[in-house]
Each structure stands twice: as structure tokens, then as C-alpha cells.
Amino acid sequence: MTDGQSLADGAAGTALLHLETGERAAAFTALQEAVAEGATVADNASLYYGAPAIAFVLAASSWPELAGAAGVAADGTAIVTRRKLGAAHRRIDERRRPDYSEYDLIRGLTGLGVVLRRIGNHDLLHDVLTYLVRLTETLRSLPGWWCSNGPSRDQPDPAGGHGNHGLAHGITGPLALLALTYLDGVHVEGQVAAMNRILSWLDVWEQRSIDGAAWWPQTLTRAELEHRTPKQPGPGRASWCYGTPGVARAVQLAARAVDDALRQRHAEVAFAACIADPAQTGLLTDRGLCHGTAGLLSTGRHIAADALTPIPLAHLRALHDATAAGDEGAGFLDGRTGADLVTAGRATAWDECLLLC
């Protein structure tokens, strides 16, 4: 049984689907289930869980009867954000390395920044961006985002920690938020320099396939860093969470923010090559947002909408439609809720929570 206040796989995600598609009665039913046991502001609260998740979902509606609940959820989001910002700054002051959950999209401050952007709390959003700028500064000869822990919670941490490039859990998440807010006109000191530091790092670790197509390793260990070579032999699956599509979207956004047309075109070419490669798209085995065809389709739509030259996407919709639902659950990130949102046909901003827009 899933927890209702989870956006990832609970009723909060279902409510978002119904709010976006205008199904009023179904939305209220799902919202009641989502908050049946409250909306937490504890340490596990994030964009995808608890009060911030509910705040993000409720921002999809302008219905007057939800205004009170939206205000409560927004207040809870502020409480969580301030507490996590305080802990993050203390950690930096003590010159300790972060756990990626401090800053990532799913559990960390980047995700909370997404909520603040959506609900319009720009004062606190400024504070999150200021933290992200500080995160990019060098800490003991390594990038400030280099993690003390490993990328997998069910495996031992690698010696020396790791660097993470995924949009869901890595440094391209902060890059996308820094870029999106900059394009919004929300600026803080050092924001452009921070984006350029991340972009320079991605330049160093960009790899090339045999056919010359660009791709980026999902993660790096300290040993790979010292040898200047990733162990990952080639591009992985064409997914939103860790693959070339998510990284390319973050780079495209940042290139637009810093007015670098050459870099923007490079990111778009990398994406176009990725989706033309059956070895990458063939690794997608489900319809989900996180690492399935829905995430690829949604990412592709946003990249194509901003692209300097047209990128055909018809085959991505066909791939999504042809992928069997199998035994998928009702979840937002990995199940039919997210898969249905992608094909719901409304041009809304629900995928802000994927850092795509």
C-alpha cells in the first residue's frame, strides 16, 4: 500500500493527473486520500513527499475551495526549506561533503526550489539559488557537489564518494533550476558563474560514441576521476532520470540562459543522435516517466520546443504507444499516472517537477 502524500507513487500523483485534466470530482477524491494522514514537514519532506508535494500539486488548481489547503502546504514547504538550507550551509561551513539527497531533485533542495518557483515564493527561492551557487564552489579540491555517499542506497558506497550527472539525483538538476530561474528573471549573485562551472565540468566528462555522438557518464567514482576515464563503456538507456535526454535538456536550458547558441546546438544534436539510436531507445522497457518512454517523450517535447532547428518526435510517441503497460502500478514516476499525463493532450506545466520547464 502506498503513502497518499507521495507524489512519486501515491494519491498526490493521481490528484495531479486529475487536476491537470480537469476531472474535478476525481481530483477531490484523490486529494482527500493524499492528506488523509496529514502532510509531513519532517526531514523526509520533499518535492515528492509531504507538504511540498501537496503544495506542488495544489498549484495546478485555481479553485477557491483549495486556497486554504494550498496556503497551509506552502507554509509547510517554507518550514522544510529553511531547515534544510540551514543544515546545508552548516555542512559547507564545516567543509564536509554532501549526501546527494541534500541537493537533488527528488529529495533535496533543488526539488524544494521547484516547489517555491511553482507557488511563487521568490524570496525563499532566492535563498535556494544562493545555496546552489555555493554548492558549485570547489571543496577540498573537488566540486562542491561531489557526494560522500554512493549513487545506490542498496550497495556499498564507493571509496571516495561519487559525482552524479543525472537530472533526478545529480548536478544537472541544480543546473536546470539555475537556468530556468535565470530565464524567468529570478537572479542571484554568482548564478551565471555557477552554471558555467557545471557546464565546464560536463565538457570535461563528455564522451563520444563510435559514430561521434556525445553522451555523459551517469556517475563517476574517485578512481575514475583520478584515471580521467569513466568505466561506463557507452551511453545508457535514453531516459529522463540519468540518460542523455535529461542531461541534454539541462545543458540546453543553461546554454539559453548564458546565451551560448553553439552549446545549445551541441546539446540538441546530442539529443537527436540519442533518440535516433535504437541501442539507447531499445533499453526502455516500460512506459514510466523516470526511466521509461513517457519521460523520454516529455523531455523530447521540451527540447524540440526550444530547439534552434526542428527535431522530429513522431517516433517517440509511437514508441510510447507501442510499449506494453505490463504490470505497471498507478504511480506518477514509474506507473500509469505519469504515462497518462504525457498523453493527456493538455499543454500544462505539470512536468516542472521533472525540471523540464
Side-chain angles (χ1 to χ4, degrees):
M1 185 174 180
T2 58
D3 193 327
Q5 60 185 308
S6 169
L7 175 59
D9 57 12
T14 305
L16 180 61
L17 170 63
H18 294 315
L19 286 169
E20 292 287 348
T21 55
E23 299 170 274
R24 194 181 188 93
F28 273 100
T29 298
L31 284 169
Q32 288 172 340
E33 182 181 345
V35 299
E37 297 181 1
T40 187
V41 294
D43 286 344
N44 60 341
S46 67
L47 164 61
Y48 278 87
Y49 191 77
I54 300 303
F56 182 89
V57 169
L58 289 174
S61 170
S62 58
W63 299 339
E65 55 267 50
L66 295 177
V72 172
D75 290 344
T77 300
I79 291 169
V80 172
T81 304
R82 292 190 184 101
R83 184 175 66 243
K84 292 195 174 188
L85 279 172
H89 283 298
R90 286 192 296 273
R91 191 268 308 162
I92 296 174
D93 290 342
E94 294 166 4
R95 299 188 62 76
R96 291 183 287 110
R97 305 226 69 87
D99 183 304
Y100 67 79
S101 65
E102 175 188 290
Y103 65 80
D104 77 351
L105 174 68
I106 303 298
R107 292 188 290 163
L109 280 158
T110 296
L112 291 171
V114 168
V115 182
L116 297 169
R117 177 177 178 243
R118 185 167 168 92
I119 65 178
N121 186 341
H122 287 174
D123 288 341
L124 198 49
L125 177 58
H126 274 86
D127 293 342
V128 170
L129 296 175
T130 298
Y131 153 74
L132 291 178
V133 170
R134 198 175 182 202
L135 178 74
T136 68
E137 296 170 352
T138 300
L139 177 62
R140 291 190 280 114
S141 77
L142 288 171
W145 65 81
W146 190 272
C147 303
S148 59
N149 61 328
S152 178
R153 284 177 284 176
D154 58 1
Q155 295 181 8
D157 294 337
H162 87 292
N164 197 308
H165 297 150
L167 192 57
H169 293 298
I171 193 55
T172 52
L175 177 63
L177 183 62
L178 288 164
L180 284 164
T181 52
Y182 196 84
L183 291 166
D184 289 343
V186 180
H187 301 164
V188 299
E189 184 176 354
Q191 192 168 357
V192 171
M195 286 187 280
N196 281 325
R197 281 192 286 270
I198 301 169
L199 289 169
S200 295
W201 174 267
L202 293 173
D203 287 345
V204 169
W205 289 100
E206 180 184 307
Q207 307 296 303
R208 292 284 178 162
S209 300
I210 294 175
D211 61 1
W215 62 276
W216 294 265
Q218 296 182 4
T219 60
L220 294 170
T221 64
R222 187 65 184 266
E224 291 170 282
L225 185 65
E226 291 171 353
H227 288 92
R228 299 181 178 274
T229 304
K231 289 184 178 179
Q232 185 177 328
R237 62 190 172 197
S239 65
W240 161 79
C241 58
Y242 269 109
T244 295
V247 178
R249 177 55 173 166
V251 173
Q252 181 196 40
L253 287 167
R256 292 180 60 223
V258 302
D259 196 23
D260 186 341
L262 184 63
R263 186 185 294 277
Q264 179 180 344
R265 191 178 303 278
H266 182 69
E268 293 161 6
V269 169
F271 173 74
C274 167
I275 62 174
D277 180 6
Q280 294 181 65
T281 58
L283 294 174
L284 302 179
T285 58
D286 65 69
R287 302 192 314 140
L289 284 172
C290 188
H291 43 255
T293 56
L296 175 59
L297 180 56
S298 189
T299 305
R301 285 172 173 167
H302 286 287
I303 291 177
D306 291 330
L308 296 171
T309 56
I311 301 176
L313 300 178
H315 65 300
L316 297 188
R317 175 60 191 263
L319 176 65
H320 182 61
D321 290 343
T323 300
D327 59 353
E328 69 185 11
F332 172 77
L333 275 182
D334 292 315
R336 63 177 175 271
T337 296
D340 289 347
L341 263 169
V342 169
T343 56
R346 289 184 51 164
T348 56
W350 62 268
D351 43 6
E352 286 180 14
C353 64
L354 302 179
L355 273 175
L356 297 176
C357 63

